[in-house]
Amino acid sequence: KETKEQLIIDAGQKHFGATMCKSCGMIYTASSPEDQLQHVQHHYRFLEGIKYTGWKKERVVAEFWDGKIVLVLPHDPSYAIRKVEDVQELVDNELGFHRVVPRCPNKTKTFLFISDEKRVVGCLIAEPIKQAFRVLSEPTGPESPSSKECHRAWQCSNVPEPAVCGISRIWVFRLKRRKRIARRLVDTLRNCFMFGCFLKIDEIAFSDPTPDGKLFATKYCNT
Ligand code: ACO
Ligand code: ZN
């Protein structure tokens, strides 16, 4: 009996805990065959989805030491549009969003951050808007519900404020987060959204932010 227990403990150290794949970023339990199968399926699909082979006509709008930002517009060649759709599908899957048809598809601007390993590691989708509602600061104090319970139920002001540009999606590949990729995407958006002017912070709005998105937006807007 003792040896059996020992075996389980040994196995536990090697295979039981959650593992994160160093290529696709999926967290799974190596000891579970279902998890392993799911991982294999996700792994290839994901890496194929973010693969970027380079385009003959690409609109590079920013270059950095660790990558570049490419802008895709609605009337671009179909290979570019297809890549944007693939990436958006991955992002929506990760965020648990159902596919939302953009309000004005022919005005959508998509910014892709391409790493020097030729992968799409960041994506920002923006569209023109006319107004936005400010997220009110969360109530604090013993009676306020914990932030875990009210995941997306931020309280918004009901007074519309003028805005110019809405960020409908912002996403960075899990393994590349906290390297200022999102910040550089928003900076580039502000520079390129309207010809000849740099958008002010209060002219852009984040739609339906996730907890991650809200942390980022709060930080970005205060600095
Ligand atoms: N927790 C705390 N602070 C954060 C976080 C976080 N998870 N993410 C960003 N910040 C703050 C930090 O202060 C950070 O600066 P620091 O690293 O020097 O402290 C600053 O924001 C800038 O962060 P970046 O490195 O530019 O952000 P990153 O490239 O990691 O991307 C993002 C942030 C896009 C939110 C990423 O975490 C992500 O893709 N998350 C999953 C998808 C998601 O939830 N997207 C938002 C959906 S809402 C919408 O699309 C409108
Ligand atoms: Zn993987």
Side-chain angles (χ1 to χ4, degrees), residues 6 21 26 50 54 71 74 98 118 139 163 202 212:
Q6 191 57 49
C21 174
M26 181 169 163
I50 65 168
L71 169 62
H98 293 289
K118 291 189 179 296
D202 55 11
D212 270 352

Side-chain angles (χ1 to χ4, degrees), residues 21-26 28 39-40 42-44 47:
C21 174
K22 289 196 181 71
S23 317
C24 75
M26 181 169 163
Y28 65 101
H39 169 235
V40 169
H42 173 265
H43 188 93
Y44 293 106
L47 292 181

Side-chain angles (χ1 to χ4, degrees), residues 91-92 94-95 97 121-125 152 154 166-174 176-186 205-220 223:
V91 173
D92 285 355
E94 188 177 324
L95 292 178
F97 281 177
V121 295
C123 170
L124 186 160
I125 303 176
R152 276 195 193 161
W154 322 120
I167 296 179
S168 72
R169 294 284 188 286
I170 182 160
W171 167 89
V172 171
F173 176 31
R174 193 192 297 279
K176 296 284 184 185
R177 287 184 193 160
R178 305 302 288 267
K179 296 181 194 298
R180 316 219 139 189
I181 291 179
R183 178 183 287 276
R184 287 180 274 169
L185 280 165
V186 180
F206 292 80
S207 77
D208 189 21
T210 57
D212 270 352
K214 198 170 173 243
L215 285 166
F216 167 73
T218 309
K219 181 72 185 178
Y220 184 88
T223 46

Side-chain angles (χ1 to χ4, degrees), residues 67-207:
K68 61 184 174 188
I69 296 178
V70 169
L71 169 62
V72 180
L73 298 176
H75 300 295
D76 279 354
S78 56
Y79 51 78
I81 301 295
R82 214 173 308 125
K83 179 59 37 177
V84 163
E85 285 172 353
D86 285 354
V87 173
Q88 191 178 350
E89 196 186 321
L90 294 170
V91 173
D92 285 355
N93 273 342
E94 188 177 324
L95 292 178
F97 281 177
H98 293 289
R99 211 181 158 73
V100 187
V101 182
R103 262 153 283 172
C104 38
N106 59 357
K107 288 187 180 150
T108 305
K109 292 188 162 81
T110 305
F111 297 83
L112 301 177
F113 193 105
I114 314 293
S115 72
D116 39 13
E117 299 114 353
K118 291 189 179 296
R119 298 202 180 282
V120 180
V121 295
C123 170
L124 186 160
I125 303 176
E127 59 197 12
I129 55 170
K130 294 211 168 62
Q131 59 181 35
F133 299 89
R134 196 168 289 278
V135 174
L136 299 176
S137 49
E138 265 158 274
T140 44
E143 262 133 84
S144 66
S146 85
S147 54
K148 268 187 194 137
E149 279 160 27
C150 55
H151 245 21
R152 276 195 193 161
W154 322 120
Q155 265 205 310
C156 285
S157 146
N158 45 21
V159 184
E161 293 176 42
V164 175
C165 168
I167 296 179
S168 72
R169 294 284 188 286
I170 182 160
W171 167 89
V172 171
F173 176 31
R174 193 192 297 279
L175 301 173
K176 296 284 184 185
R177 287 184 193 160
R178 305 302 288 267
K179 296 181 194 298
R180 316 219 139 189
I181 291 179
R183 178 183 287 276
R184 287 180 274 169
L185 280 165
V186 180
D187 286 345
T188 305
L189 161 77
R190 288 168 68 193
N191 204 12
C192 299
F193 194 74
M194 261 165 48
F195 184 74
C197 66
F198 189 70
L199 290 184
K200 291 195 288 268
I201 294 259
D202 55 11
E203 292 174 313
I204 56 175
F206 292 80
S207 77

